[in-house]
Amino acid sequence: MHINFIGPWNTTGYGHASVGYFYLFTLIANRDPSLYPKFIKMIKDHVYPFQLQNINIDLTFSFIPIGNPDLISKDINDEHLQKMYHKHLTTPDKVPSDAINIVFWHASNADQFILPCKKNILITTFEIDYFSPRERESIDKFDLLCGASAFNLNI
């Protein structure tokens, strides 16, 4: 299975969350506990061996940044993340058609990142009571919508 992830790589709120999702996908795809930085040693020692090593999926992973990536700021860039960024960086034309494309972006214009893949999934963060017509038009083009609140269960 191939997962392509599209999201920002910068110091905004969405950028920090996107780098976190990117990091999770690299951990699953690489299955290498040494990739965990020292500050989350507890997770490496207690969660990783039990959960990720027992996932029996042949997973490959690629990444397409939204906008101009910030490869300088130290709060989102360390040696490990830089290595993984360059290892998994790709372009839309190189994503396999049988891939699952996961987009982390705003609902209003996320549809511009839909690729001709097996599935397109939108992860978006919102705390609203309704979607605008443009947001509805955009999210309706995705196979699955994932959000960040219990409100999502009622959509």
Side-chain angles (χ1 to χ4, degrees):
M1 174 190 322
H2 184 87
I3 292 179
N4 182 67
F5 179 67
I6 299 177
W9 189 283
N10 57 41
T11 57
T12 65
Y14 259 74
H16 278 275
S18 177
V19 170
Y21 286 124
F22 167 88
Y23 188 60
L24 174 65
F25 290 126
T26 64
L27 292 174
I28 295 170
N30 292 290
R31 293 189 191 186
D32 182 355
S34 69
L35 297 176
Y36 281 85
K38 294 175 185 173
F39 68 88
I40 57 169
K41 184 178 182 322
M42 182 183 76
I43 293 174
K44 180 185 96 171
D45 292 343
H46 300 289
V47 177
Y48 182 89
F50 178 72
Q51 294 180 351
L52 298 182
Q53 288 180 343
N54 292 327
I55 295 175
N56 189 20
I57 297 174
D58 184 19
L59 179 69
T60 55
F61 172 69
S62 59
F63 174 69
I64 301 171
I66 293 175
N68 295 321
D70 177 352
L71 300 175
I72 298 170
S73 298
K74 296 297 181 199
D75 57 340
I76 59 168
N77 292 289
D78 62 19
E79 186 177 328
H80 162 72
L81 283 172
Q82 287 288 311
K83 179 181 169 185
M84 292 297 101
Y85 175 90
H86 292 291
K87 177 181 179 180
H88 296 289
L89 186 65
T90 194
T91 56
D93 59 306
K94 293 182 181 169
V95 176
S97 61
D98 63 344
I100 296 173
N101 183 46
I102 300 173
V103 177
F104 180 64
W105 195 239
H106 308 283
S108 61
N109 63 349
D111 57 336
Q112 67 183 309
F113 302 112
I114 290 176
L115 297 179
C117 292
K118 180 179 178 180
K119 295 278 184 190
N120 280 276
I121 298 170
L122 173 62
I123 302 173
T124 190
T125 304
F126 55 86
E127 297 292 339
I128 55 176
D129 293 330
Y130 63 92
F131 289 111
S132 71
R134 176 62 191 121
E135 290 168 328
R136 175 59 69 188
E137 178 186 340
S138 177
I139 64 174
D140 280 348
K141 296 175 183 175
F142 284 87
D143 298 299
L144 180 65
L145 170 65
C146 303
S149 70
F151 166 75
N152 301 325
L153 299 174
N154 297 318
I155 298 175

